[in-house]
Amino acid sequence: MDKSLPLISIQIKLFFQSPIFVACFCSWFGAQFIKTAINLCYGKVKSFKQLIELMMVKTGGMPSSHSALVTALATSIGIRNGLNSDIFFVSAVFWAVVIRDAFGVRRSNGMGIKRINELSEDLSKKNLIEPYKPLKEVNGHKPMEVVCGCFLGLFIALGCTLLK
């Protein structure tokens, strides 16, 4: 019998009980839940499939689940390992890249694709180009969506790591 099997199951159990994992998961899930509730209140959810997609995989909207997750990651690592640790530095740089991407790159890209779709639709209607299949518009976040995601991640990480 392989004696490493119990060791693996213990490691998996410890992974899922880690305050860092719990903070990250709860931040992501909490942001997705809030985003879904907001869309339900505004009547934007038309089917059960749309509800599940919004809860699990849809990006964009208030609050930013990416921002919540990376903020929870950096905060919980900073609390558990110290602000002068190498792993905190790596998580802080990762946080900065994700937040910058959420604010700028993805948002700019989404606005550009939206304009390309509008122009192509106009040209297609005038029969200047073949019928056009629109590109998927992946929108980045508005600044307030990112800020709210960061605060959500911060508070959840503080709760998960300081109360453990």
Side-chain angles (χ1 to χ4, degrees), residues 1-13:
M1 182 170 186
D2 187 8
K3 292 188 180 202
S4 66
L5 187 59
L7 181 60
I8 292 171
S9 64
I10 290 169
Q11 290 296 314
I12 292 171
K13 182 179 176 183

Side-chain angles (χ1 to χ4, degrees), residues 36-47:
T36 302
I38 289 170
N39 280 291
L40 280 170
C41 289
Y42 282 100
K44 294 181 179 179
V45 179
K46 305 294 183 204
S47 68

Side-chain angles (χ1 to χ4, degrees), residues 81-144:
N81 296 293
L83 299 179
N84 65 339
S85 66
D86 293 344
I87 192 67
F88 174 72
F89 179 74
V90 170
S91 67
V93 169
F94 181 62
W95 174 87
V97 169
V98 171
I99 297 302
R100 172 67 182 107
D101 181 61
F103 268 128
V105 178
R106 289 182 64 228
R107 185 161 175 75
S108 297
N109 185 41
M111 290 172 16
I113 290 174
K114 182 176 182 173
R115 187 66 182 130
I116 288 170
N117 285 340
E118 290 169 355
L119 290 170
S120 298
E121 185 179 337
D122 289 344
L123 292 172
S124 182
K125 284 179 183 176
K126 295 176 183 176
N127 293 321
L128 296 173
I129 61 170
E130 293 183 28
Y132 177 72
K133 182 181 176 193
L135 299 170
K136 182 181 177 189
E137 294 176 26
V138 179
N139 297 321
H141 287 285
K142 296 174 185 163
M144 188 54 70

Side-chain angles (χ1 to χ4, degrees), residues 27-28 31-32 35 57-60 63-72 94-95 98-99 101-102 106 141 149-150:
S27 294
W28 169 80
Q32 289 297 114
K35 195 179 304 188
V57 295
K58 276 287 207 206
T59 60
S64 165
S65 54
H66 290 93
S67 301
L69 188 143
V70 296
T71 302
F94 181 62
W95 174 87
V98 171
I99 297 302
D101 181 61
R106 289 182 64 228
H141 287 285
C150 288

